Amino acid sequence: MPTNPLDEQALADRHDRREFLKLSALAGLAAATGAGAAGCAALSPRLGAAPEAPLTSKPLERVRVGIVGVGGMGCVHVSNLMNMPNVEVTAVCDIVPGKIEYVQDWLTKAGKPKPAGYSRGPRDFERMCQTEELDIVYNATPWEWHVPVCVAAMKNGKHTAVEVPASYTLDGCWELVETAEKHARHCIMLENCNYDRNELMILNMVRQGVLGEVLHGECGYLHDLRSIKFSKDGEGLWRREHSKRRNGNLYPTHGLGPVAQCMNINRGDRLDYLVSMSSPSRGLQHWQQEQLADDDPRRSERYVLGDVNLTLIRTALEKTLYVVHDTNLPRPYSRILMVQGTRGLAQGWPGPARVHIEGRSPAHQWENLDKYAAEFEHPLWKKKETAEAKAGHGGMDYLESARIVKCLMEGLPMDMDVYDAAMMSAICELTEKSVANRSRPVDVPDFTRGRWKTRSPLGIVDA
């Protein structure tokens, strides 16, 4: 995949864009500190009972895709989708015309049809959703636009797949659920970490009972993002704004997604309540003083996001999860990925991934997870296409889209649905509420409205 050029002409309006995103962020953050709980209470009763069966749709002969936001992750999705059979990237939308032109040129040079372009301002995705014949809209925009783009797609008869988190407010989570049910459209959160190799191998072990009954999970997103947050391009244009107003777990899904699948959350169990606390905020302040020029206006910014946020969650079946968020301090990357059962446990980070299985492993000793790959490698990671995938995190982004395309073409339920998107994303505002109230317990809404008791756990899927 070629490097996406941020040439000067295409980004001549960078300042205006940055100001627009800043204002959008502030507006969204103001909403997040408002009536989130009230919105939850108001929307939930109106929905009534959730559908009894998982959502399926009519099988498709080909999948026509529109993509909103063709920056870093948007281009990863383009790269994966354009090389899948029976998939066509039909339309692209971005507020920077130069990015659309880049993607159009990229696809035509690869012998693909030129996608329609939409760049008439920040809400031109609505025109795209209204006028284009699309089966699914991929949403790789800043967080403030996740819900509006998804809602526009579903209201116009399109399925939608959105980057993480799907929403950072409870109101937004309920709106996604309500819209998906009303229009009978898939709303999938693109949690790529669910498809990473170690995560799927551990899920396979769990499904085969090797670890016994899973009782506890530990996970998180521990990633030094200081340089990204202060970048003048990409996520730096908007992500740092959230650190000024929000204090909680701003990015829970990369760690929580795979562990929640192992623990059958929303499919036999559900998250019941949580408590959360944050450390002081120091890391971004140190960075701005040590790395920025004396006349850089960002040196005067102030941040409230605690450098480390810790959250404990209890499930309806009295099982436990530990979730951590740590993006402002120097550290190697980790998602922890620990799944503990009555017969053993597995842990993915720090590598190499390791496992201890009672009766198979030496007493009180770890073994390398790869020792069990011949027996428990997930079928998706045995695919030649996965091993050869070039775009996005070593194959997991490819698998994520491959599964979506397969389910759409065969009329199958999705691996993750709108209830999973809402459940994981709700952790954002719920942790903020707990932190702001001396770590008092906060209930987690049941977005399935009781259906978690009868929904089947995700099996060992293929593509």
Side-chain angles (χ1 to χ4, degrees):
M1 175 179 139
T3 302
N4 190 351
L6 297 176
D7 59 274
E8 293 299 325
Q9 183 175 359
L11 293 183
D13 295 330
R14 178 183 290 171
H15 175 75
D16 291 341
R17 180 187 185 213
R18 181 162 55 244
E19 289 304 307
F20 163 75
L21 290 171
K22 180 177 179 179
L23 292 173
S24 298
L26 293 175
L29 294 168
T33 58
C40 171
L43 280 168
S44 180
R46 186 168 79 222
L47 293 178
E52 198 166 329
L55 177 66
T56 59
S57 56
K58 183 179 178 180
L60 302 172
E61 292 184 1
R62 67 186 179 109
V63 179
R64 299 162 298 180
V65 184
I67 300 182
V68 184
V70 283
M73 278 309 301
C75 282
V76 167
H77 295 310
V78 171
S79 182
N80 284 318
L81 291 164
M82 68 185 282
N83 292 308
M84 292 182 184
N86 303 310
V87 176
E88 181 181 341
V89 178
T90 306
V92 291
C93 176
D94 199 284
I95 61 174
V96 179
K99 290 189 175 184
I100 293 176
E101 294 164 7
Y102 166 78
V103 172
Q104 290 172 326
D105 184 59
W106 179 15
L107 289 169
T108 55
K109 285 182 177 178
K112 308 293 183 181
K114 180 180 178 180
Y118 291 82
S119 59
R120 297 181 189 170
R123 302 199 73 91
D124 208 25
F125 61 85
E126 294 172 332
R127 185 169 64 96
M128 185 190 83
C129 292
Q130 292 164 2
T131 60
E132 292 289 332
E133 292 186 359
L134 302 170
D135 298 302
I136 187 168
V137 172
Y138 269 58
N139 181 354
T141 60
W143 294 341
E144 293 74 33
W145 292 98
H146 284 188
V147 173
V149 173
C150 288
V151 168
M154 291 186 284
K155 285 184 175 179
N156 285 281
K158 282 77 172 169
H159 304 297
T160 186
V162 58
E163 279 299 334
V164 299
S167 171
Y168 58 88
T169 70
L170 292 174
D171 280 346
C173 291
W174 280 113
E175 186 175 6
L176 293 177
V177 170
E178 182 175 27
T179 308
E181 289 183 355
K182 180 178 179 180
H183 297 277
R185 289 296 178 267
H186 293 296
C187 181
I188 311 142
M189 187 170 67
L190 292 164
E191 185 36 77
N192 53 359
C193 294
N194 282 14
Y195 296 93
D196 207 359
R197 179 172 178 259
N198 290 338
E199 279 82 344
L200 284 178
M201 192 185 307
I202 292 171
L203 177 64
N204 197 5
M205 299 176 85
V206 168
R207 290 291 177 261
Q208 296 192 42
V210 175
L211 302 183
E213 180 187 3
V214 175
L215 302 177
H216 176 72
E218 298 183 8
C219 56
Y221 185 67
L222 303 94
H223 189 185
D224 182 357
L225 296 181
R226 293 172 298 169
S227 62
I228 291 176
K229 289 185 179 184
F230 281 101
S231 171
K232 294 183 179 180
D233 296 319
E235 294 179 30
L237 296 173
W238 56 268
R239 191 163 184 162
R240 195 176 69 259
E241 291 295 324
H242 291 261
S243 301
K244 296 179 183 178
R245 301 288 186 273
R246 300 172 57 200
N247 187 11
N249 189 327
L250 308 193
Y251 207 66
T253 72
H254 278 343
L256 183 58
V259 173
Q261 285 189 341
C262 289
M263 298 182 73
N264 297 333
I265 303 302
N266 279 352
R267 296 169 170 82
D269 199 358
R270 76 172 186 88
L271 305 184
D272 188 6
Y273 67 93
L274 62 78
V275 295
S276 186
M277 64 181 65
S278 292
S279 77
S281 179
R282 300 286 190 269
L284 295 183
Q285 289 88 338
H286 288 170
W287 180 273
Q288 69 180 182
Q289 299 305 312
E290 294 171 358
Q291 302 291 332
L292 303 181
D294 290 343
D295 60 350
D296 192 318
R298 294 173 296 171
R299 287 176 63 92
S300 63
E301 292 178 353
R302 293 296 175 262
Y303 312 102
V304 301
L305 176 64
D307 291 339
V308 180
N309 174 269
L310 309 175
T311 300
L312 295 176
I313 308 176
R314 186 81 174 266
T315 76
L317 299 185
E318 300 184 348
K319 299 177 181 183
T320 52
L321 293 96
Y322 163 89
V323 188
V324 60
H325 177 265
D326 175 357
T327 62
N328 294 346
L329 298 174
R331 60 158 302 113
Y333 182 90
S334 175
R335 296 197 296 272
I336 304 177
L337 179 62
M338 199 277 278
V339 177
Q340 189 163 20
T342 55
R343 295 296 180 186
L345 75 165
Q347 184 165 340
W349 302 81
R354 53 199 184 275
V355 64
H356 176 83
I357 305 170
E358 189 173 49
R360 298 185 66 168
S361 302
H364 309 291
Q365 293 183 31
W366 291 104
E367 296 181 282
N368 193 306
L369 182 64
D370 276 342
K371 175 182 177 180
Y372 293 91
E375 187 175 357
F376 298 112
E377 187 81 88
H378 194 282
L380 290 175
W381 276 91
K382 295 179 181 179
K383 296 287 184 180
K384 178 174 179 286
E385 296 85 351
T386 306
E388 295 178 351
K390 297 293 191 296
H393 303 98
M396 61 185 181
D397 293 341
Y398 166 83
L399 282 179
E400 175 181 64
S401 285
R403 280 295 301 166
I404 291 172
V405 169
K406 177 182 175 68
C407 292
L408 288 175
M409 296 190 69
E410 298 184 11
L412 300 172
M414 293 288 170
D415 301 341
M416 296 173 282
D417 57 23
V418 71
Y419 308 108
D420 301 312
M423 172 269 294
M424 287 187 275
S425 300
I427 300 304
C428 296
E429 183 172 337
L430 297 173
T431 57
E432 292 175 61
K433 288 181 177 297
S434 181
V435 168
N437 288 279
R438 294 177 57 83
S439 304
R440 289 184 173 86
V442 177
D443 290 342
V444 180
D446 175 15
F447 295 99
T448 75
R449 283 101 75 208
R451 295 297 187 200
W452 62 271
K453 298 176 183 177
T454 55
R455 300 174 81 222
S456 298
L458 177 68
I460 302 303
V461 296
D462 207 340

Short mmCIF file of all heavy atoms in Angstrom, two decimals, residues 188-214:
data_model
loop_
_atom_site.label_atom_id
_atom_site.label_comp_id
_atom_site.label_asym_id
_atom_site.label_seq_id
_atom_site.Cartn_x
_atom_site.Cartn_y
_atom_site.Cartn_z
N ILE A 188 -21.86 -2.67 13.30
CA ILE A 188 -20.76 -3.48 13.79
C ILE A 188 -19.62 -2.57 14.21
O ILE A 188 -19.23 -1.67 13.46
CB ILE A 188 -20.24 -4.42 12.68
CG1 ILE A 188 -21.38 -5.16 12.01
CG2 ILE A 188 -19.19 -5.39 13.21
CD1 ILE A 188 -21.19 -5.31 10.52
N MET A 189 -19.10 -2.78 15.40
CA MET A 189 -17.92 -2.05 15.79
C MET A 189 -16.68 -2.80 15.30
O MET A 189 -16.57 -4.02 15.49
CB MET A 189 -17.85 -1.87 17.31
CG MET A 189 -16.72 -0.96 17.75
SD MET A 189 -16.81 -0.52 19.49
CE MET A 189 -16.51 -2.12 20.26
N LEU A 190 -15.78 -2.08 14.66
CA LEU A 190 -14.60 -2.69 14.05
C LEU A 190 -13.52 -2.94 15.10
O LEU A 190 -12.46 -2.32 15.09
CB LEU A 190 -14.09 -1.79 12.92
CG LEU A 190 -15.02 -1.70 11.71
CD1 LEU A 190 -14.64 -0.51 10.83
CD2 LEU A 190 -15.00 -2.99 10.92
N GLU A 191 -13.81 -3.89 15.99
CA GLU A 191 -12.83 -4.23 17.02
C GLU A 191 -11.88 -5.28 16.46
O GLU A 191 -12.09 -6.49 16.59
CB GLU A 191 -13.53 -4.73 18.29
CG GLU A 191 -12.58 -4.99 19.45
CD GLU A 191 -11.44 -3.97 19.48
OE1 GLU A 191 -11.67 -2.83 19.91
OE2 GLU A 191 -10.31 -4.30 19.04
N ASN A 192 -10.82 -4.78 15.82
CA ASN A 192 -9.90 -5.67 15.12
C ASN A 192 -9.15 -6.62 16.05
O ASN A 192 -8.77 -7.73 15.64
CB ASN A 192 -8.91 -4.86 14.28
CG ASN A 192 -8.18 -3.80 15.08
OD1 ASN A 192 -8.41 -3.62 16.27
ND2 ASN A 192 -7.28 -3.07 14.42
N CYS A 193 -8.95 -6.23 17.32
CA CYS A 193 -8.18 -7.08 18.22
C CYS A 193 -8.89 -8.40 18.51
O CYS A 193 -8.24 -9.37 18.93
CB CYS A 193 -7.88 -6.35 19.52
SG CYS A 193 -6.79 -4.92 19.31
N ASN A 194 -10.19 -8.48 18.29
CA ASN A 194 -10.90 -9.75 18.43
C ASN A 194 -10.36 -10.79 17.45
O ASN A 194 -10.57 -11.99 17.65
CB ASN A 194 -12.39 -9.56 18.16
CG ASN A 194 -13.12 -8.94 19.34
OD1 ASN A 194 -12.49 -8.42 20.25
ND2 ASN A 194 -14.43 -8.99 19.32
N TYR A 195 -9.68 -10.34 16.40
CA TYR A 195 -9.23 -11.24 15.34
C TYR A 195 -7.72 -11.45 15.34
O TYR A 195 -7.19 -12.07 14.41
CB TYR A 195 -9.70 -10.71 13.99
CG TYR A 195 -11.20 -10.69 13.86
CD1 TYR A 195 -11.92 -9.55 14.19
CD2 TYR A 195 -11.90 -11.82 13.45
CE1 TYR A 195 -13.31 -9.53 14.09
CE2 TYR A 195 -13.28 -11.82 13.35
CZ TYR A 195 -13.98 -10.67 13.67
OH TYR A 195 -15.35 -10.66 13.59
N ASP A 196 -7.02 -10.95 16.34
CA ASP A 196 -5.59 -11.19 16.38
C ASP A 196 -5.31 -12.67 16.69
O ASP A 196 -6.17 -13.39 17.23
CB ASP A 196 -4.93 -10.29 17.43
CG ASP A 196 -3.48 -9.99 17.09
OD1 ASP A 196 -2.98 -10.48 16.07
OD2 ASP A 196 -2.84 -9.23 17.86
N ARG A 197 -4.11 -13.10 16.34
CA ARG A 197 -3.82 -14.54 16.40
C ARG A 197 -3.91 -15.10 17.81
O ARG A 197 -4.58 -16.12 18.04
CB ARG A 197 -2.42 -14.81 15.83
CG ARG A 197 -2.02 -16.28 15.87
CD ARG A 197 -0.71 -16.53 15.14
NE ARG A 197 -0.33 -17.93 15.24
CZ ARG A 197 0.58 -18.42 16.09
NH1 ARG A 197 1.22 -17.58 16.92
NH2 ARG A 197 0.86 -19.71 16.12
N ASN A 198 -3.24 -14.47 18.77
CA ASN A 198 -3.27 -15.01 20.13
C ASN A 198 -4.68 -14.98 20.72
O ASN A 198 -5.10 -15.92 21.41
CB ASN A 198 -2.33 -14.21 21.03
CG ASN A 198 -0.87 -14.45 20.70
OD1 ASN A 198 -0.50 -15.47 20.12
ND2 ASN A 198 -0.02 -13.51 21.07
N GLU A 199 -5.41 -13.90 20.46
CA GLU A 199 -6.77 -13.79 20.98
C GLU A 199 -7.65 -14.93 20.47
O GLU A 199 -8.42 -15.54 21.23
CB GLU A 199 -7.37 -12.44 20.59
CG GLU A 199 -6.95 -11.28 21.46
CD GLU A 199 -5.60 -10.67 21.11
OE1 GLU A 199 -4.82 -11.31 20.37
OE2 GLU A 199 -5.31 -9.56 21.58
N LEU A 200 -7.53 -15.24 19.18
CA LEU A 200 -8.37 -16.30 18.61
C LEU A 200 -7.89 -17.69 19.04
O LEU A 200 -8.71 -18.60 19.20
CB LEU A 200 -8.40 -16.18 17.10
CG LEU A 200 -9.30 -15.06 16.56
CD1 LEU A 200 -9.23 -15.00 15.04
CD2 LEU A 200 -10.75 -15.24 17.00
N MET A 201 -6.60 -17.87 19.24
CA MET A 201 -6.14 -19.17 19.73
C MET A 201 -6.63 -19.41 21.15
O MET A 201 -7.08 -20.51 21.49
CB MET A 201 -4.60 -19.24 19.68
CG MET A 201 -4.08 -20.66 19.90
SD MET A 201 -2.27 -20.81 20.01
CE MET A 201 -1.76 -19.99 18.51
N ILE A 202 -6.59 -18.37 21.97
CA ILE A 202 -7.09 -18.52 23.34
C ILE A 202 -8.59 -18.76 23.34
O ILE A 202 -9.10 -19.59 24.11
CB ILE A 202 -6.70 -17.29 24.18
CG1 ILE A 202 -5.18 -17.25 24.38
CG2 ILE A 202 -7.42 -17.30 25.52
CD1 ILE A 202 -4.67 -15.97 25.00
N LEU A 203 -9.33 -18.05 22.46
CA LEU A 203 -10.77 -18.30 22.35
C LEU A 203 -11.03 -19.75 21.97
O LEU A 203 -11.95 -20.40 22.51
CB LEU A 203 -11.38 -17.36 21.32
CG LEU A 203 -12.88 -17.56 21.04
CD1 LEU A 203 -13.72 -17.26 22.28
CD2 LEU A 203 -13.34 -16.69 19.88
N ASN A 204 -10.25 -20.30 21.06
CA ASN A 204 -10.40 -21.69 20.65
C ASN A 204 -10.17 -22.62 21.84
O ASN A 204 -10.91 -23.60 22.04
CB ASN A 204 -9.42 -22.01 19.52
CG ASN A 204 -9.78 -23.27 18.77
OD1 ASN A 204 -10.82 -23.89 19.01
ND2 ASN A 204 -8.92 -23.67 17.85
N MET A 205 -9.16 -22.33 22.65
CA MET A 205 -8.89 -23.14 23.83
C MET A 205 -10.06 -23.07 24.82
O MET A 205 -10.45 -24.08 25.41
CB MET A 205 -7.59 -22.69 24.50
CG MET A 205 -6.37 -22.82 23.62
SD MET A 205 -4.86 -22.17 24.39
CE MET A 205 -4.36 -23.59 25.35
N VAL A 206 -10.61 -21.85 24.97
CA VAL A 206 -11.75 -21.70 25.87
C VAL A 206 -12.94 -22.51 25.37
O VAL A 206 -13.60 -23.22 26.14
CB VAL A 206 -12.12 -20.21 26.00
CG1 VAL A 206 -13.47 -20.04 26.69
CG2 VAL A 206 -11.05 -19.45 26.77
N ARG A 207 -13.23 -22.43 24.08
CA ARG A 207 -14.37 -23.15 23.52
C ARG A 207 -14.21 -24.66 23.64
O ARG A 207 -15.19 -25.39 23.76
CB ARG A 207 -14.56 -22.76 22.05
CG ARG A 207 -15.04 -21.33 21.85
CD ARG A 207 -16.49 -21.15 22.34
NE ARG A 207 -16.91 -19.77 22.21
CZ ARG A 207 -16.93 -18.88 23.19
NH1 ARG A 207 -16.53 -19.25 24.42
NH2 ARG A 207 -17.33 -17.64 22.99
N GLN A 208 -12.98 -25.14 23.64
CA GLN A 208 -12.73 -26.58 23.78
C GLN A 208 -12.58 -27.01 25.23
O GLN A 208 -12.29 -28.18 25.51
CB GLN A 208 -11.51 -26.98 22.96
CG GLN A 208 -11.70 -26.77 21.46
CD GLN A 208 -10.63 -27.43 20.62
OE1 GLN A 208 -10.23 -28.56 20.90
NE2 GLN A 208 -10.16 -26.74 19.58
N GLY A 209 -12.78 -26.07 26.16
CA GLY A 209 -12.80 -26.41 27.58
C GLY A 209 -11.45 -26.62 28.21
O GLY A 209 -11.36 -27.10 29.35
N VAL A 210 -10.39 -26.25 27.52
CA VAL A 210 -9.04 -26.52 28.02
C VAL A 210 -8.76 -25.75 29.31
O VAL A 210 -8.07 -26.25 30.21
CB VAL A 210 -8.00 -26.16 26.94
CG1 VAL A 210 -6.59 -26.32 27.49
CG2 VAL A 210 -8.19 -27.01 25.72
N LEU A 211 -9.30 -24.52 29.41
CA LEU A 211 -9.05 -23.70 30.60
C LEU A 211 -10.15 -23.86 31.66
O LEU A 211 -10.15 -23.18 32.67
CB LEU A 211 -8.94 -22.22 30.21
CG LEU A 211 -7.84 -21.88 29.19
CD1 LEU A 211 -7.79 -20.38 28.95
CD2 LEU A 211 -6.48 -22.39 29.66
N GLY A 212 -11.09 -24.77 31.43
CA GLY A 212 -12.19 -24.95 32.37
C GLY A 212 -13.20 -23.83 32.26
O GLY A 212 -13.34 -23.18 31.22
N GLU A 213 -13.91 -23.58 33.34
CA GLU A 213 -14.87 -22.47 33.37
C GLU A 213 -14.11 -21.16 33.57
O GLU A 213 -13.37 -21.00 34.54
CB GLU A 213 -15.88 -22.65 34.50
CG GLU A 213 -16.91 -21.53 34.59
CD GLU A 213 -17.80 -21.63 35.81
OE1 GLU A 213 -17.58 -22.54 36.64
OE2 GLU A 213 -18.71 -20.78 35.95
N VAL A 214 -14.30 -20.23 32.67
CA VAL A 214 -13.60 -18.94 32.77
C VAL A 214 -14.28 -18.10 33.84
O VAL A 214 -15.48 -17.83 33.79
CB VAL A 214 -13.60 -18.21 31.42
CG1 VAL A 214 -12.99 -16.82 31.57
CG2 VAL A 214 -12.84 -19.02 30.37
#
